[in-house]
Amino acid sequence: ALALVGPRDLAGRHVVVSAGGTREPLDPVRFLGNRSSGRQGVALARTALARGAQVTLVAANMSVPAPPGVDVVQVETAAELRDAVRTAAKVADVVVMAAAVADYRPATIVASKIKKRADGSAPPLELVQTTDILAELARDRPRPGQLVVGFAAETGDDEGSVLDHGRAKAARKGADLLVVNPVGDGKGFGAETNEVVVLDGTGELVARFAGSKDDVAHAVWDAVLAASEHGVI
Ligand code: CTP
Ligand code: CA
């Protein structure tokens, strides 16, 4: 392999990245899911590897392949993703939650395929909240001094701007860094360039960035290293 690949400034660090979107089963053939491809998580994994890190990718139903050279743990559901991230996090210096995790799952998984009702009625669907994996990691760190990073796609609305929502979420989650991605108006999903703002745990702006998913990934690792120089990890 070519050695001229830029700084290996993550050498000696172990990073965990979650990517993709969880699927919550309803019955043996159906699930509640989301459209996350895993591309941003894969970019984070690939760039961390290029910068010398040991990388564990917790991959939930990605529509793109994992980069060669990373340790992959395949998961389906939010509960499986939580277990895999918590296990991997025990030996990690940094955990980045780039996965789109279901906020709700069906209260029960029906053992056999749900049949269509003959009378034309629809069955009720009861949902329960999943565990907030990021908030839980930030609250009780599996490893002292570990850096925890979240991602949030936000739209501005009557309640406030993208930045307002990002700040409130940063405070609520307690992560060290929250990468906020404005979506809607042709931004985000499927767009060529991503715009991100990086906030610290108090909601302070630490970086602003626009570029490809790889550029964003590098900017995230730069922010992680800057935070670690300030003594967070
Ligand atoms: N996240 C998580 N566990 C969940 C839900 C979300 O770890 N059950 C993580 C995501 O991986 C992401 C961050 O939390 O890093 C923000 O996700 P987001 O969906 O924006 O946050 P929520 O608190 O679920 O808020 P919202 O109401 O906007 O969905
Ligand atoms: Ca959510």
Coordinates of all heavy atoms in Angstrom, one line a residue, residues 159-220:
E159 N -40.0 26.5 16.3 CA -39.4 26.5 17.6 C -38.0 27.0 17.7 O -37.5 27.4 18.8 CB -39.3 25.0 18.1 CG -40.6 24.2 18.0 CD -41.5 24.4 19.2 OE1 -41.2 23.9 20.3 OE2 -42.6 25.1 19.1
G160 N -37.3 27.1 16.5 CA -36.0 27.6 16.5 C -35.2 27.2 15.3 O -35.7 26.5 14.5
S161 N -34.0 27.8 15.2 CA -33.1 27.5 14.1 C -32.4 26.1 14.2 O -32.5 25.5 15.3 CB -32.0 28.6 14.0 OG -31.1 28.4 15.1
V162 N -31.7 25.7 13.2 CA -30.9 24.5 13.2 C -29.9 24.5 14.4 O -29.8 23.6 15.2 CB -30.1 24.3 11.9 CG1 -29.1 23.2 12.0 CG2 -31.1 23.9 10.8
L163 N -29.3 25.7 14.6 CA -28.3 25.8 15.6 C -29.0 25.8 17.0 O -28.5 25.1 18.0 CB -27.6 27.2 15.5 CG -26.2 27.3 16.0 CD1 -25.3 26.1 15.5 CD2 -25.6 28.6 15.7
D164 N -30.2 26.4 17.1 CA -30.9 26.3 18.4 C -31.2 24.9 18.8 O -31.0 24.4 19.9 CB -32.3 27.0 18.3 CG -32.1 28.5 18.1 OD1 -31.1 29.1 18.5 OD2 -33.1 29.1 17.5
H165 N -31.7 24.1 17.8 CA -32.1 22.7 18.1 C -30.8 21.9 18.4 O -30.8 21.0 19.3 CB -32.8 22.1 16.9 CG -34.2 22.6 16.7 ND1 -35.2 22.4 17.7 CD2 -34.8 23.3 15.7 CE1 -36.3 23.0 17.3 NE2 -36.1 23.5 16.1
G166 N -29.7 22.2 17.6 CA -28.5 21.5 17.9 C -27.9 21.8 19.3 O -27.5 20.8 20.0
R167 N -28.0 23.0 19.7 CA -27.6 23.4 21.1 C -28.4 22.7 22.1 O -27.8 22.1 23.1 CB -27.7 24.9 21.3 CG -26.7 25.7 20.5 CD -26.4 27.0 21.2 NE -25.2 27.6 20.6 CZ -25.4 28.6 19.7 NH1 -26.5 29.1 19.3 NH2 -24.3 29.1 19.1
A168 N -29.7 22.6 22.0 CA -30.5 22.0 22.9 C -30.2 20.5 23.0 O -30.2 19.9 24.1 CB -32.0 22.2 22.6
K169 N -30.0 19.9 21.8 CA -29.7 18.5 21.8 C -28.4 18.2 22.4 O -28.2 17.2 23.1 CB -29.8 17.9 20.3 CG -29.7 16.4 20.2 CD -30.1 15.9 18.8 CE -31.6 16.0 18.5 NZ -31.9 15.5 17.2
A170 N -27.4 19.0 22.1 CA -26.0 18.8 22.7 C -26.1 18.8 24.2 O -25.5 17.9 24.9 CB -25.1 19.9 22.3
A171 N -26.9 19.7 24.8 CA -27.1 19.8 26.3 C -27.8 18.6 26.8 O -27.5 18.0 27.8 CB -27.8 21.1 26.6
R172 N -28.8 18.1 26.0 CA -29.6 17.0 26.5 C -28.8 15.7 26.4 O -29.0 14.8 27.3 CB -30.8 16.9 25.5 CG -32.0 16.1 26.0 CD -33.3 16.4 25.2 NE -33.2 16.0 23.8 CZ -33.3 16.8 22.8 NH1 -33.6 18.1 22.9 NH2 -33.3 16.3 21.5
K173 N -28.0 15.5 25.4 CA -27.3 14.2 25.2 C -26.1 14.1 26.2 O -25.7 13.0 26.6 CB -26.8 14.1 23.8 CG -27.9 14.1 22.8 CD -28.5 12.7 22.7 CE -29.5 12.6 21.5 NZ -30.0 11.3 21.4
G174 N -25.4 15.2 26.4 CA -24.2 15.2 27.3 C -23.0 14.6 26.6 O -22.0 14.3 27.2
A175 N -23.0 14.5 25.3 CA -21.8 14.0 24.5 C -20.8 15.1 24.5 O -21.1 16.3 24.7 CB -22.2 13.6 23.1
D176 N -19.5 14.7 24.2 CA -18.4 15.7 24.2 C -18.5 16.6 23.0 O -18.2 17.8 23.0 CB -17.1 15.0 24.3 CG -17.0 14.2 25.5 OD1 -17.0 14.8 26.6 OD2 -16.9 13.0 25.4
L177 N -19.0 16.0 21.9 CA -19.1 16.7 20.6 C -20.4 16.3 19.9 O -20.8 15.1 20.0 CB -18.0 16.4 19.6 CG -16.6 16.9 20.1 CD1 -15.5 16.3 19.1 CD2 -16.5 18.4 20.1
L178 N -21.1 17.2 19.3 CA -22.3 16.9 18.5 C -22.1 17.5 17.2 O -21.9 18.7 17.0 CB -23.6 17.4 19.2 CG -24.9 16.9 18.5 CD1 -25.2 15.4 18.7 CD2 -26.1 17.7 19.0
V179 N -22.2 16.6 16.1 CA -22.0 17.1 14.8 C -23.4 17.3 14.2 O -24.2 16.4 14.0 CB -21.2 16.0 13.9 CG1 -21.0 16.5 12.5 CG2 -19.9 15.6 14.6
V180 N -23.7 18.6 13.9 CA -25.1 18.9 13.5 C -25.1 19.2 12.0 O -24.3 20.0 11.5 CB -25.6 20.2 14.3 CG1 -27.0 20.5 13.8 CG2 -25.5 19.9 15.8
N181 N -26.0 18.5 11.3 CA -26.1 18.5 9.9 C -27.5 19.1 9.5 O -28.5 18.5 9.8 CB -26.0 17.1 9.4 CG -26.0 16.9 8.0 OD1 -26.3 15.8 7.5 ND2 -25.6 17.8 7.2
P182 N -27.5 20.3 8.9 CA -28.8 20.9 8.5 C -29.4 20.1 7.3 O -28.7 19.8 6.4 CB -28.5 22.3 8.0 CG -27.1 22.6 8.4 CD -26.4 21.2 8.5
V183 N -30.6 19.7 7.4 CA -31.3 18.9 6.4 C -32.6 19.7 5.9 O -33.0 20.6 6.6 CB -31.7 17.5 6.8 CG1 -30.4 16.7 7.0 CG2 -32.5 17.4 8.0
G184 N -33.1 19.2 4.8 CA -34.3 19.8 4.2 C -33.8 20.9 3.2 O -32.6 21.2 3.2
D185 N -34.6 21.4 2.4 CA -34.2 22.4 1.3 C -33.1 21.8 0.5 O -32.2 22.5 0.1 CB -33.8 23.7 1.9 CG -34.9 24.5 2.6 OD1 -36.1 24.2 2.2 OD2 -34.6 25.3 3.5
G186 N -33.1 20.5 0.1 CA -32.1 19.9 -0.7 C -30.8 19.7 0.0 O -29.8 19.3 -0.6
K187 N -30.7 19.9 1.3 CA -29.5 19.7 2.1 C -29.5 18.3 2.7 O -30.6 17.8 3.0 CB -29.4 20.7 3.2 CG -29.1 22.1 2.7 CD -29.2 23.1 3.9 CE -28.9 24.5 3.5 NZ -29.4 25.4 4.6
G188 N -28.4 17.8 3.0 CA -28.3 16.5 3.7 C -28.6 15.3 2.8 O -27.9 15.2 1.7
F189 N -29.5 14.4 3.1 CA -29.8 13.2 2.4 C -29.6 13.2 0.9 O -30.3 13.9 0.2 CB -31.2 12.7 2.7 CG -31.4 12.4 4.2 CD1 -32.2 13.2 5.0 CD2 -30.7 11.3 4.8 CE1 -32.3 13.0 6.3 CE2 -30.9 11.1 6.1 CZ -31.7 11.9 6.9
G190 N -28.6 12.5 0.4 CA -28.3 12.4 -1.0 C -27.6 13.6 -1.6 O -27.2 13.5 -2.8
A191 N -27.4 14.6 -0.9 CA -26.7 15.8 -1.4 C -25.2 15.6 -1.6 O -24.6 14.8 -0.8 CB -27.0 17.0 -0.5
E192 N -24.6 16.3 -2.5 CA -23.2 16.2 -2.8 C -22.3 16.7 -1.6 O -21.4 16.0 -1.2 CB -22.8 16.9 -4.0 CG -23.2 16.2 -5.3 CD -22.4 14.9 -5.5 OE1 -21.1 15.0 -5.5 OE2 -23.0 13.9 -5.7
T193 N -22.7 17.9 -1.2 CA -21.9 18.5 -0.1 C -22.7 18.5 1.2 O -23.9 18.7 1.2 CB -21.4 19.9 -0.4 OG1 -22.5 20.6 -0.9 CG2 -20.3 19.9 -1.4
N194 N -22.1 18.2 2.3 CA -22.7 18.3 3.6 C -22.1 19.5 4.3 O -21.0 19.9 4.2 CB -22.3 17.1 4.4 CG -22.8 15.8 3.8 OD1 -23.9 15.4 4.1 ND2 -22.0 15.3 2.8
E195 N -23.0 20.2 5.0 CA -22.7 21.3 5.8 C -22.8 20.8 7.2 O -23.8 20.3 7.6 CB -23.8 22.4 5.7 CG -23.4 23.6 4.9 CD -24.7 24.5 4.9 OE1 -25.1 25.0 5.9 OE2 -25.2 24.6 3.8
V196 N -21.8 21.0 8.0 CA -21.9 20.6 9.4 C -21.4 21.7 10.4 O -20.6 22.5 10.0 CB -21.2 19.3 9.8 CG1 -21.7 18.2 9.0 CG2 -19.7 19.4 9.7
V197 N -22.1 21.8 11.5 CA -21.5 22.6 12.6 C -21.2 21.6 13.8 O -21.9 20.6 14.0 CB -22.4 23.7 13.2 CG1 -22.6 24.8 12.1 CG2 -23.8 23.2 13.6
V198 N -20.0 21.7 14.4 CA -19.6 20.9 15.5 C -19.8 21.7 16.8 O -19.2 22.8 16.9 CB -18.2 20.4 15.3 CG1 -17.8 19.4 16.4 CG2 -18.0 19.7 14.0
L199 N -20.6 21.1 17.7 CA -20.8 21.8 19.0 C -20.2 21.0 20.1 O -20.1 19.7 20.0 CB -22.3 21.9 19.3 CG -23.2 22.5 18.2 CD1 -24.7 22.5 18.6 CD2 -22.8 23.9 17.9
D200 N -19.8 21.6 21.2 CA -19.3 20.9 22.3 C -20.4 20.5 23.2 O -21.6 20.8 22.9 CB -18.1 21.6 23.0 CG -18.6 22.8 23.8 OD1 -19.8 23.0 23.9 OD2 -17.7 23.6 24.2
G201 N -20.2 19.9 24.4 CA -21.2 19.4 25.3 C -22.0 20.5 25.9 O -23.1 20.2 26.4
T202 N -21.6 21.8 25.8 CA -22.3 22.9 26.4 C -23.1 23.6 25.3 O -23.8 24.6 25.5 CB -21.4 23.9 27.1 OG1 -20.6 24.5 26.1 CG2 -20.6 23.2 28.2
G203 N -22.9 23.1 24.0 CA -23.6 23.8 22.9 C -22.8 24.9 22.2 O -23.3 25.5 21.3
E204 N -21.6 25.1 22.7 CA -20.7 26.1 22.1 C -20.2 25.6 20.7 O -19.9 24.4 20.6 CB -19.4 26.2 22.9 CG -19.2 27.4 23.8 CD -19.9 28.6 23.6 OE1 -19.5 29.4 22.7 OE2 -20.9 28.9 24.3
L205 N -20.2 26.5 19.7 CA -19.7 26.1 18.4 C -18.2 25.9 18.4 O -17.4 26.8 18.8 CB -20.1 27.3 17.5 CG -19.8 27.0 16.0 CD1 -21.0 26.3 15.4 CD2 -19.5 28.3 15.2
V206 N -17.7 24.7 18.0 CA -16.3 24.5 17.9 C -15.7 24.5 16.5 O -14.5 24.7 16.3 CB -15.8 23.3 18.8 CG1 -16.1 23.5 20.2 CG2 -16.4 22.0 18.2
A207 N -16.6 24.2 15.5 CA -16.1 24.2 14.1 C -17.3 24.2 13.2 O -18.5 23.8 13.6 CB -15.3 22.9 13.8
R208 N -17.1 24.7 12.0 CA -18.1 24.8 11.0 C -17.5 24.3 9.7 O -16.3 24.6 9.5 CB -18.4 26.3 10.8 CG -19.8 26.7 10.3 CD -19.9 28.2 10.2 NE -20.8 28.8 11.2 CZ -22.1 28.6 11.1 NH1 -22.7 27.9 10.2 NH2 -22.9 29.2 12.0
F209 N -18.2 23.5 8.9 CA -17.5 22.8 7.8 C -18.5 22.5 6.7 O -19.6 22.1 7.0 CB -16.8 21.6 8.3 CG -15.8 21.1 7.4 CD1 -14.5 21.7 7.4 CD2 -16.0 20.1 6.5 CE1 -13.5 21.3 6.5 CE2 -15.1 19.7 5.6 CZ -13.8 20.3 5.6
A210 N -18.0 22.5 5.5 CA -18.8 22.1 4.3 C -17.9 21.2 3.4 O -16.7 21.6 3.2 CB -19.4 23.2 3.5
G211 N -18.4 20.2 2.9 CA -17.6 19.3 2.0 C -18.3 18.0 1.7 O -19.4 17.8 2.1
S212 N -17.5 17.1 1.2 CA -17.9 15.7 0.9 C -18.0 15.0 2.3 O -17.6 15.5 3.3 CB -16.9 15.0 0.1 OG -15.7 14.8 0.8
K213 N -18.6 13.8 2.3 CA -18.7 13.0 3.5 C -17.3 12.6 4.1 O -17.1 12.6 5.3 CB -19.5 11.7 3.3 CG -21.0 12.0 3.2 CD -21.9 10.7 3.3 CE -23.3 10.9 2.8 NZ -24.2 11.7 3.7
D214 N -16.3 12.4 3.1 CA -14.9 12.2 3.6 C -14.3 13.5 4.2 O -13.7 13.4 5.2 CB -14.1 11.8 2.4 CG -14.0 10.3 2.2 OD1 -15.0 9.6 2.6 OD2 -13.0 9.8 1.7
D215 N -14.6 14.6 3.6 CA -14.1 15.9 4.2 C -14.7 16.1 5.6 O -14.0 16.5 6.5 CB -14.5 17.1 3.3 CG -13.9 17.1 2.0 OD1 -12.8 16.5 1.8 OD2 -14.5 17.7 1.0
V216 N -16.1 15.8 5.7 CA -16.7 16.0 7.0 C -16.1 15.0 8.0 O -15.8 15.4 9.2 CB -18.2 15.7 6.9 CG1 -18.9 15.5 8.2 CG2 -18.9 16.9 6.1
A217 N -15.8 13.8 7.6 CA -15.2 12.8 8.5 C -13.9 13.3 9.0 O -13.6 13.2 10.2 CB -15.1 11.4 7.7
H218 N -13.0 13.8 8.1 CA -11.7 14.3 8.5 C -11.9 15.5 9.5 O -11.2 15.6 10.5 CB -10.9 14.8 7.3 CG -10.2 13.7 6.6 ND1 -9.2 12.9 7.3 CD2 -10.2 13.2 5.4 CE1 -8.7 12.0 6.4 NE2 -9.3 12.1 5.3
A219 N -12.9 16.4 9.2 CA -13.2 17.5 10.1 C -13.6 17.0 11.5 O -13.2 17.6 12.5 CB -14.2 18.4 9.5
V220 N -14.3 15.9 11.5 CA -14.7 15.3 12.8 C -13.5 14.8 13.6 O -13.4 15.1 14.8 CB -15.8 14.2 12.6 CG1 -16.0 13.4 13.9 CG2 -17.1 14.7 12.1

